[in-house]
Amino acid sequence: MDSIPANRRLWNRISSAYQHRHDPHIGAAPRLWGMYSIPDAHLHALGDVTGKRVLELGCGAGQWSRALAAEGAVVVGLDLSEAQLAAAAGAMGAARYALVQGAAEHLPFAADSFDLVFCDFGGLSWAPPHLAVPQAARVLGRGGRLVFNVASPWFEACYDEAAGRVTTTLRQDYFGLNTIAEGDGATSYQLTYGDWVRVLRGAGLVIDDLIEPRPEPGTPNGYNETDPPDWAHRWPAELLWVTHKP
């Protein structure tokens, strides 16, 4: 399905409110992953980016791109939303990097353009993975890495839509997640563990690690209410995939 127009409209509409609410958490320090802002220094997913050609899929206001550019990476931040790109441009600061409007399922770059493609709940949550992953693999050079963080199917399957929170009860079929209606016709995407493996391997990527970020008890979730509050300490809320192109 073509979810690009509706997703673009959604993010243009909510960009300002989203950044007002979440920028203090996303940009609080460099390299903070996911809903619980777990430092990459604890997870060791990205590695040294100095001098690397880096593409962020769904850069939002550029919090990650800005940090990696400051570390010496040659960064391109891609986003579907003009409003998100405007927020990134306004917050760029001294470490300059390129901003490009585009969709993760139709990357406007030549093959072998990057050493690292990554996202944190970005393009690989908001584009069909069976289209976006091969595109990411195409623009990676040999030995390049695709690293991305998405919601765990456990988290999605336990989301109680009526209550607006994640609980300990399975609400959705694990095998029926696939597309998630986000309102106004917008769509996000969720795969099973097996489907992620098949999509990644089908794109010619080697899976190096699957990190399940585990926050300490009492760590706040900046995006969702969970019941119990320590839900993600007990079950995996996120999947951080680390892969490379041989």
Coordinates of all heavy atoms in Angstrom, one line a residue, residues 1 3 6-11 126 180-188:
M1 N 0.8 -1.2 0.0 CA 0.0 0.0 0.0 C 0.9 1.2 0.0 O 2.0 1.2 0.5 CB -0.9 0.0 1.2 CG -0.2 0.1 2.6 SD -1.4 0.1 3.9 CE -2.2 1.6 3.7
S3 N 1.5 4.4 1.6 CA 1.1 5.2 2.8 C 1.8 6.5 2.9 O 1.7 7.3 3.8 CB 1.5 4.4 4.1 OG 2.8 4.0 4.1
A6 N -0.5 10.0 3.2 CA -1.1 10.2 4.5 C -0.1 10.3 5.6 O -0.3 11.1 6.5 CB -2.0 9.0 4.8
N7 N 1.0 9.6 5.6 CA 2.0 9.7 6.6 C 2.7 11.1 6.5 O 3.0 11.7 7.6 CB 3.1 8.6 6.4 CG 2.6 7.3 6.9 OD1 1.5 7.2 7.3 ND2 3.4 6.3 6.7
R8 N 2.9 11.6 5.3 CA 3.4 12.9 5.2 C 2.5 14.0 5.8 O 2.9 14.9 6.5 CB 3.7 13.2 3.7 CG 4.3 14.6 3.4 CD 4.5 14.7 1.9 NE 4.9 16.0 1.4 CZ 5.0 16.3 0.2 NH1 4.7 15.5 -0.8 NH2 5.5 17.5 -0.2
R9 N 1.2 13.9 5.5 CA 0.2 14.8 6.1 C 0.2 14.8 7.6 O 0.2 15.8 8.3 CB -1.2 14.6 5.5 CG -1.4 15.0 4.0 CD -2.8 15.0 3.7 NE -3.4 13.6 3.8 CZ -3.5 12.7 2.9 NH1 -3.0 13.0 1.7 NH2 -4.0 11.5 3.1
L10 N 0.2 13.5 8.1 CA 0.2 13.4 9.6 C 1.4 14.1 10.2 O 1.2 14.9 11.2 CB 0.2 11.9 9.9 CG 0.4 11.6 11.4 CD1 -0.9 12.0 12.2 CD2 0.7 10.1 11.7
W11 N 2.6 13.8 9.7 CA 3.8 14.4 10.4 C 3.9 15.9 10.1 O 4.4 16.6 11.0 CB 5.0 13.6 9.9 CG 5.1 12.3 10.7 CD1 4.8 11.1 10.2 CD2 5.5 12.2 12.0 NE1 5.0 10.2 11.2 CE2 5.4 10.8 12.4 CE3 6.0 13.1 13.0 CZ2 5.8 10.3 13.6 CZ3 6.3 12.6 14.3 CH2 6.2 11.3 14.6
W126 N 7.7 3.6 9.7 CA 6.7 4.3 8.9 C 6.7 4.0 7.4 O 6.0 4.7 6.7 CB 6.9 5.8 9.2 CG 6.5 6.2 10.6 CD1 7.3 6.2 11.7 CD2 5.2 6.5 11.1 NE1 6.6 6.5 12.8 CE2 5.3 6.7 12.5 CE3 3.9 6.6 10.5 CZ2 4.2 7.1 13.2 CZ3 2.9 7.0 11.2 CH2 3.0 7.2 12.6
I180 N -0.5 -0.8 11.1 CA -1.2 -0.3 12.3 C -1.7 1.1 11.9 O -1.0 2.0 11.4 CB -0.2 -0.1 13.4 CG1 0.4 -1.5 13.8 CG2 -0.9 0.6 14.6 CD1 1.5 -1.4 14.8
A181 N -3.0 1.3 12.0 CA -3.7 2.5 11.6 C -3.3 3.6 12.7 O -3.5 3.4 13.9 CB -5.2 2.3 11.6
E182 N -2.8 4.7 12.2 CA -2.3 5.8 13.1 C -3.2 7.0 13.1 O -2.9 8.0 13.7 CB -0.9 6.2 12.8 CG 0.1 5.1 12.9 CD 0.5 4.7 14.3 OE1 0.0 5.4 15.2 OE2 1.2 3.8 14.5
G183 N -4.4 6.9 12.4 CA -5.3 8.0 12.3 C -5.1 8.9 11.1 O -4.0 8.9 10.6
D184 N -6.1 9.5 10.6 CA -6.1 10.3 9.4 C -5.5 9.5 8.2 O -4.9 10.1 7.3 CB -5.2 11.5 9.6 CG -5.8 12.5 10.7 OD1 -7.1 12.4 10.9 OD2 -5.1 13.3 11.3
G185 N -5.7 8.2 8.2 CA -5.2 7.4 7.1 C -3.8 7.0 7.1 O -3.3 6.3 6.2
A186 N -3.0 7.5 8.1 CA -1.6 7.2 8.2 C -1.4 5.8 8.7 O -2.3 5.2 9.4 CB -0.9 8.2 9.2
T187 N -0.2 5.2 8.4 CA 0.0 3.8 8.7 C 1.5 3.7 9.2 O 2.4 4.2 8.6 CB -0.1 3.0 7.5 OG1 -1.5 3.2 6.9 CG2 0.1 1.5 7.8
S188 N 1.6 2.9 10.3 CA 2.9 2.4 10.7 C 3.0 0.9 10.5 O 1.9 0.3 10.2 CB 3.3 2.8 12.1 OG 2.4 2.2 13.0

